[in-house]
Structures are given as C-alpha cells and as structure tokens.
Amino acid sequence: MVNLIWLFLIVVGFIVAAIQGRIELVTEAVFDGAKTGVAVCFGLISILVFWLGIMRIAEDAGLLSKLAVLLRPLVRFLFPSVPANHPAIGYIMSNMSANILGLGNAATPMGIRAMQELQKLNSDKDIASPAMCTLLALNTSSITLIPTTLIAIRMNYHSLNPAEIVGTTLIATIISTAAAIFVDKWYRSKYEKNLR
C-alpha cells in the first residue's frame, strides 16, 4: 500500500511539473535528494560505527550481560509463555538492551532471531503468538536512553546541541513503552479469555 502511495505522489509530481513546463525541477529534486541521501548516510555510518564499537566494548566488558540480568525479571513478566531457558529469552534481552542503548540497527538482527525462536514455540504457525506480539510492541516502542540515530542526523544538519533531545526522547519512549505494555497485557487477557 505504501508503495502505491509513493508511486502516486511521484506520478502526480511528474504530471504537474510537465503541465507547468517545469520538468527540470523534477530532475533537480531527484539529484538534490540523492545527494542529501548520500550525505546523511555517510554521517549516520560514522556515528553508528562509533556506537556499535561502544556496544562491542560494553559487551566485552560485561555491561550487556549485567543489563540482561536486570532485564530478566521484566522479560519473565512480559513473556510468561516462553520457557526460562529457551534461546528466545537471550535474543529478546539482547534486543531490548540494544534498543535501550539507542542501537536500533544492532537490535534488528537480534529481534529477527527472537521472532524465529518464538515461531518455533508457536502452535499456530499462521498467526503471531502473544509473545511475538509483545516483542513487536516492545521493539517498536522501546525505552531509549541514548537516541544515537537522531543525534547523528542532528549532527549532520549542524545542530547547535544535537544531544538536547535525550531528555524528551527518554520521556516519550517511557510513555510509549508503558502504553505498549498496557495495551499488550489488555489484549493478551482478552485473548486468553477467548481461549477458555
């Protein structure tokens, strides 16, 4: 559906530019957009490489395992249907740890692996299990201590204080995560009542 919306916008843009006799504006916009995209990507690469390096140092120093220990009771509360020693738990905790540290790109592979492991526990392979829905809700709304990608984008555009969003991001992500957990628990209770 999103592809159709983008296609519609592009076609309308071409038609309007052609009707107005300003097709060169479309060409300029395409090249300016490509140039900006490459510049933003290079800026993001540098900051992501830095933070992934920091994450690797934190992992080697044992910080992530300590964070995982702190998260274990929360994970057990949020994922009661997943056995305590199942590999999915480790991937879920790694995904949550990376998201908390603002490393969404590092969290993605762990989230995919967690979903694959949760699918092995799923009795109905055609419908997402409650645990899978919980992981998706948490991954989407995750509490973020350091929004590295946003800071990198702000640095790319020469913000005077790129890290000033840390406080508001933390508050917003705490609220979004609390809302996600509340809605997930509410729907899970309705789902469990329907099973009885």
Side-chain angles (χ1 to χ4, degrees), residues 17-82:
I19 290 172
Q20 293 181 348
R22 308 277 319 260
I23 204 75
E24 73 280 355
L25 291 178
V26 173
T27 307
E28 283 179 35
V30 167
F31 285 116
D32 285 346
K35 180 180 165 186
T36 302
V38 169
V40 168
C41 284
F42 278 122
L44 288 176
I45 288 170
S46 63
I47 196 76
L48 286 174
V49 166
F50 171 76
W51 281 109
L52 287 173
I54 294 294
M55 176 104 168
R56 183 58 188 237
I57 291 168
E59 184 178 7
D60 291 346
L63 179 66
L64 290 183
S65 60
K66 287 180 179 148
L67 187 56
V69 168
L70 290 173
L71 291 175
R72 186 170 288 280
L74 177 64
V75 170
R76 295 300 313 137
F77 168 73
L78 295 173
F79 298 91
S81 61
V82 180

Side-chain angles (χ1 to χ4, degrees), residues 17 38-39 44-45 76 100 102 112 117 143 153 163 171-172 175 187:
V38 169
L44 288 176
I45 288 170
R76 295 300 313 137
I100 287 170
I112 291 170
E117 292 296 329
I143 292 174
I153 290 170
I171 292 167
I175 292 169
Y187 274 110

Side-chain angles (χ1 to χ4, degrees), residues 135-154:
L135 177 61
L136 185 60
L138 286 175
N139 190 55
T140 304
S141 66
S142 179
I143 292 174
T144 305
L145 297 178
I146 308 165
T148 54
T149 304
L150 289 176
I151 291 171
I153 290 170
R154 290 172 56 88

Side-chain angles (χ1 to χ4, degrees), residues 29 35 67 76 84 86 90 101 103 113 115 123 133 136 140 156 161 172 179:
K35 180 180 165 186
L67 187 56
R76 295 300 313 137
H86 196 275
L101 296 174
L103 301 169
R113 287 301 309 250
M115 281 293 190
S123 58
C133 293
L136 185 60
T140 304
N156 248 0
N161 188 358

